């Protein structure tokens, strides 16, 4: 059974979320029959580069033939490029153009780049090369000067949420499968990647296949195994205020340890959480954080940042936790180190 990410992969440029400038230029080239021989699609994972390359290849040939796709991550040697050179010499038998899509092209070896350079300088008639990469810094300047470069960007929160809601409606033909703040949380976790967002949502739907009521944000956190923000918030409060019960602070660490979870990862997540709280303290904009966007959380945060000393104390906590993460990175037994550091931090920044 195919995943939702595969099932709802765009089939036309109109289906691709955002990337309006790139889509407009490519569509105009198709309309005016001014397509080029070599393209470089650049952008983060899951933003639509390879999908756009396939759509463009299909539209160039008006639906005839299929592009030749090469994964440069596993076919990155000189011999692999020589094979491409040999194939490019022969005209396609069932389409006007022979289109090569080279994914993860930054993985090509130096020798492979040298072999490809001549091909891009004097491409055979009727060939089109579309190269995709997440790391353009590794592409030689001599190659970049011979291609048309198109920069794809991360998908906006609105774009991610809109597509997720569209997929839910297509799958279930009704609203309320997942709470809106749950969809918002999934979109934030995807960090601008459409494929990741759809995959995360697919995982949650599989975890709760027969649920009649909307899937909540807490259930999503449980399913994805991501940060439980209530635990993070409670831990932060125990560090910030000495009139709280220190045994409860230590119990959080002990529970994480007893549950077999990775304390190193937990502390990395705690650092990210404090960073998000600080961002909210500075900007009052919850959308630039990974924190849940709902009134309950805004009340939590607004109550916390009403303290005039909170920013300086949060900065100290972030600095100390960052240092702690560096110290425990290669340690095998970290529980005592984490407990001691948090107790010392509480003494340093905690107030009554």
């Amino acid at each position: 059974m195919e995943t939702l990410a595969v099932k709802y992969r765009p089939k036309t440029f109109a289906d691709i979320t955002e990337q309006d400038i790139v889509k407009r230029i490519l569509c105009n080239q198709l309309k005016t029959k001014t397509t080029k021989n070599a393209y470089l699609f650049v952008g983060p994972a899951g933003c639509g580069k390879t999908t756009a390359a396939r759509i463009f290849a299909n539209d160039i040939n008006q639906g005839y033939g299929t592009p030749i796709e090469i994964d440069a991550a596993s076919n990155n040697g000189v011999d692999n490029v020589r094979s491409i050179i040999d194939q490019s010499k022969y005209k396609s038998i069932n389409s006007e153009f022979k289109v090569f899509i080279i994914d993860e092209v930054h993985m090509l070896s130096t020798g492979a780049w040298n072999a490809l350079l001549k091909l891009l300088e004097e491409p055979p008639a009727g060939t089109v090369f579309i190269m995709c990469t997440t790391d353009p810094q590794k592409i030689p300047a001599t190659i970049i000067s011979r291609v048309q470069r198109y920069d794809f960007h991360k998908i906006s929160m609105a774009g991610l949420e809109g597509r997720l809601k569209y997929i839910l409606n297509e799958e279930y033909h009704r609203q309320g499968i997942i709470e809106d703040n749950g969809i918002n949380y999934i979109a934030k976790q995807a960090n601008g990647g459409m494929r990741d967002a759809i995959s995360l949502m697919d995982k949650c739907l599989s975890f709760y296949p027969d649920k009649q009521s909307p899937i909540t944000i807490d259930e999503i956190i449980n399913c994805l195994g991501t940060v439980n923000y209530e635990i993070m918030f409670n831990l932060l409060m125990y560090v910030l205020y000495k009139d709280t019960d220190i045994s409860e602070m230590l119990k959080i660490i002990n529970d994480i340890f007893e549950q077999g979870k990775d304390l190193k990862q937990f502390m990395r997540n705690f650092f990210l959480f404090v960073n998000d709280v600080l961002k909210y303290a500075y900007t009052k904009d919850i959308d630039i954080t990974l924190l849940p966007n709902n009134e309950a959380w805004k009340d939590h945060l607004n109550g916390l940042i009403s303290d005039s000393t909170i920013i300086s104390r949060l900065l100290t906590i972030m600095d100390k936790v960052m240092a702690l993460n560096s110290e425990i990175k290669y340690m095998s037994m970290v529980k005592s180190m984490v407990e001691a550091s948090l107790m010392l931090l509480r003494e340093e920044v905690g107030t009554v």
Side-chain angles (χ1 to χ4, degrees):
M1 184 176 179
E2 63 183 357
T3 64
L4 292 180
V6 173
K7 183 176 180 180
Y8 289 95
R9 179 177 289 150
K11 303 294 191 297
T12 68
F13 279 123
D15 294 335
I16 293 180
T17 302
E18 299 178 354
Q19 316 302 350
D20 294 337
I21 294 175
V22 174
K23 290 191 295 184
R24 181 174 180 177
I25 296 172
L26 295 179
C27 287
N28 284 341
Q29 287 187 3
L30 290 166
K31 188 184 301 182
T32 58
K33 298 187 183 300
T34 55
T35 54
K36 313 306 176 185
N37 289 107
Y39 296 85
L40 178 65
F41 289 178
V42 174
C47 66
K49 301 183 301 298
T50 306
T51 295
R54 290 170 178 161
I55 293 171
F56 192 51
N58 182 71
D59 289 353
I60 286 174
N61 286 317
Q62 299 178 359
Y64 293 98
T66 55
I68 300 169
E69 295 195 31
I70 299 103
D71 177 18
S74 53
N75 301 279
N76 55 12
V78 175
D79 290 341
N80 300 116
V81 172
R82 285 175 180 160
S83 175
I84 296 173
I85 294 171
D86 290 339
Q87 291 180 72
S88 68
K89 293 176 182 177
Y90 303 99
K91 185 172 173 31
S92 173
I93 61 174
N94 58 358
S95 60
E96 183 178 357
F97 296 95
K98 180 173 281 189
V99 183
F100 295 85
I101 298 175
I102 309 176
D103 210 359
E104 304 297 340
V105 72
H106 60 273
M107 299 293 287
L108 289 179
S109 66
T110 301
W113 280 122
N114 291 334
L116 188 62
L117 180 60
K118 185 66 175 176
L119 183 62
L120 295 180
E121 282 181 333
E122 300 175 3
T127 59
V128 176
F129 299 92
I130 308 174
M131 298 175 286
C132 304
T133 180
T134 56
D135 197 351
Q137 290 80 10
K138 294 182 180 179
I139 311 295
T142 49
I143 296 292
I144 291 179
S145 67
R146 288 164 173 79
V147 302
Q148 275 203 353
R149 171 173 170 164
Y150 292 88
D151 288 282
F152 289 68
H153 304 288
K154 289 184 177 183
I155 311 298
S156 69
M157 285 294 297
L160 291 171
E161 291 183 47
R163 186 64 175 174
L164 294 181
K165 290 178 180 178
Y166 166 80
I167 292 172
L168 286 174
N169 188 59
E170 289 293 304
E171 285 290 298
Y172 297 95
H173 305 290
R174 63 184 175 89
Q175 302 295 316
I177 302 299
I178 298 176
E179 290 182 349
D180 283 349
N181 62 353
I183 292 175
N184 175 266
Y185 179 81
I186 291 172
K188 284 183 175 180
Q189 294 300 309
N191 193 29
M194 182 62 75
R195 182 177 58 245
D196 287 346
I198 298 172
S199 297
L200 290 172
M201 184 176 74
D202 200 358
K203 182 178 179 181
C204 294
L205 293 170
S206 298
F207 195 72
Y208 302 102
D210 302 317
K211 196 168 188 298
Q212 298 303 308
S213 58
I215 299 172
T216 67
I217 188 170
D218 289 335
E219 289 170 328
I220 290 171
I221 290 172
N222 179 52
C223 168
L224 299 181
T226 48
V227 181
N228 186 319
Y229 288 116
E230 288 293 342
I231 292 176
M232 293 291 175
F233 186 81
N234 290 339
L235 180 59
L236 180 59
M237 296 297 284
Y238 293 135
V239 173
L240 284 170
Y241 298 104
K242 291 182 181 179
D243 57 354
T244 56
D245 189 350
I246 192 171
S247 65
E248 290 297 319
M249 181 185 80
L250 297 174
K251 185 176 183 299
I252 289 176
I253 303 304
N254 189 65
D255 286 347
I256 297 294
F257 180 77
E258 292 293 331
Q259 291 166 14
K261 295 181 179 179
D262 187 350
L263 271 176
K264 295 179 185 179
Q265 183 60 50
F266 177 79
M267 292 309 298
R268 286 193 291 269
N269 288 337
F270 185 60
F271 167 79
L272 296 174
F273 174 79
V274 176
N275 183 53
D276 275 342
V277 174
L278 256 172
K279 287 194 289 187
Y280 183 81
Y282 279 122
T283 68
K284 309 300 186 295
D285 183 1
I286 203 165
D287 285 332
I288 68 170
T289 75
L290 291 176
L291 301 173
N293 188 357
N294 57 50
E295 292 306 314
W297 261 97
K298 288 179 182 177
D299 289 344
H300 272 331
L301 294 169
N302 289 332
L304 180 63
I305 65 176
S306 62
D307 184 339
S308 61
T309 66
I310 195 65
I311 287 182
S312 64
R313 292 193 290 148
L314 286 173
L315 286 169
T316 300
I317 291 173
M318 193 168 66
D319 180 59
K320 298 294 185 180
V321 173
M322 186 169 16
L324 173 63
N325 284 332
S326 296
E327 289 181 39
I328 65 176
K329 188 173 183 179
Y330 300 108
M331 293 177 62
S332 56
M333 302 292 291
V334 301
K335 181 171 179 284
S336 297
M337 186 72 163
V338 169
E339 291 170 335
S341 297
L342 291 177
M343 287 188 287
L344 287 169
L345 192 52
R346 177 181 160 108
E347 287 300 313
E348 182 175 349
V349 304
T351 62
V352 177

